[in-house]
């Protein structure tokens, strides 16, 4: 069934914003929308950004070094275990995009692990906790609104193309002074991913948007159906459609060489047990590792080629990166640009700062076949400390609950949650605390 592309709504919300301006990216106010002043504002914004996040030496990249078009695609609800953990399900992302672009294997949703909130957290650069039926709009300005306000772009230059109707809520926020008058166009209909792709291809070639948000919904729908085979098939179909999106971009003279593609997930799915890989895949929404652990792929202008970063990052950092690539000044952003995947002059490939709850040390005891670690907290917090295999499956939980400030030692005895000996190899230790995650790897040798 062919979708109709609806006109831009003409309503404004009066809801007050609740997003905090507590941010490392407190940029200067927006400047004129004129072409020359807009270019100057981009350079000034980048310089201010570098100053605030401690990335030294940004002299201000030329506009030609930034993408003219940014496409942000959300795969709706795949688990890390069935994607990067089993890359045979994502042959285009893993075999084609990854070598020519960048991938973050330790990327997380540290907020609400539901569809609307996950999308909104990226598109505002702030953690959003929204009703999941589409009746509540983001409480911080979206990049759509910021772009239109700062550059004077028309609504047709910004699009939401989604396989879920409720994601129309992402077209604009409820912040006073922003709202529908600065929102994006949308085409949102419940349908299979190939239908969404057809609409997206039309939008890209007819409108060539500056910023496009895309949702491929079939993975989540098959998961909620409890259809394991359908869920896996939907992951592979979505992967093939991403390859076709890139082909559409490369075939268009105005999009080719000027478009950056960013692919992530809005959330994962509940953890599976080590000996029951199908367990948990039907639902999501909790703070477990399976729901939080997602991924990020990137390719195009401004993105380093051949980078596979193991540094922990989260959705707010992707929001900050989108703002940087677009030249948007966004004072409410809570994240930091993912500098390790960027090629902008003067930006050093530095990782994120160490979180307040961190894994201070990790060592291997080859004689006892154990991993020993020290966890350091600056203040009391509720934490989740666990050991995971390289496919992202939890092998053993070491601590769940509140932990006092200071240093605390833990030992993994090399056994699974069922008491069996784990095989020799590399394992990942992850420490979750409110709003943060830290990661370390160790070798279990027998």
């Amino acid at each position: 069934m062919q979708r109709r592309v609806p006109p831009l709504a003409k309503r404004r919300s009066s809801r007050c914003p609740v997003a905090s301006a507590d941010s490392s990216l407190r940029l200067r106010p927006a400047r004129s929308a004129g072409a020359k002043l807009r270019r100057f504002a981009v350079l000034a914004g980048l310089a201010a950004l570098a100053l605030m996040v401690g990335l030294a030496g940004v002299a201000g990249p030329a506009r030609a070094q930034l993408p003219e078009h940014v496409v942000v695609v959300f795969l709706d609800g795949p688990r890390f275990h069935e994607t990067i953990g089993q890359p045979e399900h994502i042959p285009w992302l893993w075999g084609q995009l990854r070598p020519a672009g960048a991938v973050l294997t330790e990327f997380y949703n540290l907020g609400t692990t539901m569809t609307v909130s996950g999308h909104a957290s990226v598109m505002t650069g702030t953690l959003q906790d929204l009703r999941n039926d589409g009746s509540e709009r983001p409480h911080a300005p979206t990049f759509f609104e910021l772009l239109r306000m700062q550059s004077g772009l028309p609504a047709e230059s910004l699009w939401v193309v989604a396989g879920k109707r409720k994601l129309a809520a992402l077209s604009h926020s409820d912040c006073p002074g922003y709202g529908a008058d600065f929102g994006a166009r949308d085409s949102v209909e419940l349908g299979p991913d190939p239908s969404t792709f057809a609409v997206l291809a039309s939008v890209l070639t007819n409108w060539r948007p500056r910023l496009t948000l895309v949702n491929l919904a079939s993975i989540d729908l098959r998961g909620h159906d409890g259809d394991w085979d359908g869920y896996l098939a939907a992951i592979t179909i979505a992967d093939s459609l991403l390859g076709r999106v890139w082909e559409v971009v490369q075939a268009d003279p105005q999009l080719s060489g000027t478009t950056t593609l960013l692919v992530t997930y809005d959330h994962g799915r509940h953890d599976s047990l080590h000996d029951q890989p199908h367990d948990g895949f039907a639902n999501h929404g909790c703070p477990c590792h399976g729901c939080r652990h997602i991924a990020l792929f990137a390719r195009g202008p401004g993105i380093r080629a051949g980078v596979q970063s193991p540094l922990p990052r989260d959705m707010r950092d992707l929001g900050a990166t989108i703002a940087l690539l677009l030249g948007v000044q966004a004072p409410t952003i809570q994240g930091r640009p993912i500098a390790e995947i960027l090629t902008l002059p003067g930006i050093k490939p530095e990782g994120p700062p160490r979180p307040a709850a961190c894994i201070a040390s990790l060592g291997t005891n080859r004689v006892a076949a154990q991993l020993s670690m020290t966890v350091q907290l600056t203040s009391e917090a509720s934490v989740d400390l666990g050991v995971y295999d390289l496919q992202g499956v939890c092998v053993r939980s070491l601590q769940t609950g509140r932990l006092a400030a200071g240093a605390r030692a833990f030992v993994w005895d090399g056994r699974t949650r069922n008491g069996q000996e784990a095989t020799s190899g590399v394992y990942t230790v992850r420490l979750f605390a409110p709003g943060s995650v830290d990661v370390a790897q160790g070798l279990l040798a027998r």
Side-chain angles (χ1 to χ4, degrees):
M1 179 177 66
Q2 186 175 8
R3 294 192 203 170
R4 181 177 64 88
V5 177
L8 176 67
K10 292 295 183 182
R11 62 185 183 279
R12 181 187 295 273
S13 172
S14 60
R15 186 181 176 94
C16 293
V18 299
S20 171
D22 180 18
S23 168
S24 59
L25 304 180
R26 195 180 302 277
L27 306 184
R28 287 180 278 187
R31 297 175 183 262
S32 170
K36 293 183 179 180
L37 290 179
R38 177 170 175 262
R39 181 177 292 110
F40 179 78
V42 170
L43 302 181
L46 291 171
L49 173 66
L51 179 63
M52 296 306 296
V53 302
L55 299 175
V58 175
R63 187 73 194 94
Q65 295 171 316
L66 296 173
E68 293 296 328
H69 314 276
V70 175
V71 180
V72 185
V73 181
F74 288 85
L75 302 183
D76 200 326
R79 230 171 11 189
F80 182 92
H81 180 212
E82 287 85 43
T83 52
I84 291 181
Q86 299 178 42
E88 62 270 22
H89 295 141
I90 51 169
W92 187 79
L93 282 171
W94 197 252
Q96 300 294 322
L97 187 149
R98 179 178 61 98
V103 58
L104 271 67
T105 58
E106 295 293 337
F107 191 65
Y108 294 90
N109 176 344
L110 295 179
T112 301
T113 56
M114 300 294 283
T115 296
V116 177
S117 297
H119 285 72
S121 294
V122 171
M123 299 308 290
T124 64
T126 67
L127 293 182
Q128 296 285 303
D129 183 15
L130 308 175
R131 290 188 293 272
N132 202 44
D133 59 3
S135 63
E136 185 177 10
R137 292 189 178 272
H139 306 319
T142 66
F143 297 131
F144 301 124
E145 297 161 284
L146 293 167
L147 266 172
R148 290 194 65 194
M149 180 171 287
Q150 295 174 22
S151 68
L153 288 172
E156 292 77 12
S157 293
L158 308 157
W159 280 84
V160 177
V161 179
K164 291 183 175 179
R165 296 186 184 98
K166 61 187 176 183
L167 290 175
L170 274 295
S171 62
H172 63 82
S173 72
D174 63 6
C175 294
Y178 294 90
D181 288 345
F182 296 98
R185 294 278 305 264
D186 66 67
S187 177
V188 290
E189 291 290 340
L190 185 65
D193 289 348
S195 176
T196 302
F197 164 75
V199 174
L200 173 62
S202 176
V203 167
L204 289 176
T205 54
N206 285 302
W207 297 104
R208 298 180 180 86
R210 182 87 170 89
L211 174 62
T212 309
L213 180 159
V214 185
N215 163 269
L216 297 179
S218 294
I219 300 169
D220 190 55
L221 298 176
R222 298 291 77 77
H224 285 305
D225 287 342
D227 180 358
W228 175 254
D229 292 336
Y231 163 72
L232 293 181
I235 292 174
T236 301
I237 291 171
D239 175 82
S240 68
L241 292 174
L242 289 169
R244 293 176 64 186
V245 170
W246 192 248
E247 290 173 359
V248 168
V249 167
Q250 297 310 303
D252 187 286
Q254 295 186 42
L255 298 176
S256 180
T258 64
T259 301
T260 294
L261 175 65
L262 303 169
V263 180
T264 188
Y265 321 155
D266 53 347
H267 54 76
R269 312 195 81 76
H270 292 323
D271 278 322
S272 63
L273 300 178
H274 193 55
D275 56 352
Q276 298 177 355
H278 298 189
D279 183 60
F281 85 98
N283 287 297
H284 58 88
C286 76
C288 73
H289 166 264
C291 288
R292 292 202 182 284
H293 195 181
I294 53 177
L296 173 64
F297 298 85
R299 181 176 180 180
I303 302 298
R304 295 182 184 275
V307 173
Q308 184 169 324
S309 174
L311 299 176
R313 291 287 195 166
D314 71 80
M315 286 177 158
R316 294 168 293 183
D317 299 324
L318 176 55
T321 303
I322 293 171
L324 182 60
L325 292 170
L326 292 170
V328 169
Q329 301 178 62
T332 57
I333 285 180
Q334 298 168 348
R336 294 169 178 262
I338 306 172
E340 58 269 26
I341 70 170
L342 298 174
T343 61
L344 303 181
I347 293 185
K348 298 178 181 179
E350 298 173 338
R354 173 151 285 192
C358 67
I359 302 170
S361 66
L362 179 65
T364 298
N365 184 331
R366 293 178 177 269
V367 176
Q370 296 177 342
L371 293 182
S372 58
M373 64 211 72
T374 301
V375 169
Q376 181 77 41
L377 275 68
T378 58
S379 61
E380 182 182 2
S382 179
V383 304
D384 186 349
L385 178 68
V387 180
Y388 300 82
D389 65 20
L390 294 183
Q391 289 187 322
V393 177
C394 183
V395 178
R396 183 77 172 271
S397 177
L398 301 180
Q399 171 72 30
T400 301
R402 298 199 69 80
L403 206 60
R408 171 89 176 268
F410 291 89
V411 174
W412 177 43
D413 61 6
R415 294 185 178 274
T416 70
R417 66 178 76 193
N418 295 325
Q420 300 175 340
E421 288 188 350
T423 59
S424 297
V426 176
Y427 288 85
T428 303
V429 178
R430 295 185 175 95
L431 173 66
F432 291 92
S436 73
V437 59
D438 200 20
V439 177
Q441 286 191 332
L443 176 65
L444 179 68
R446 295 191 181 280

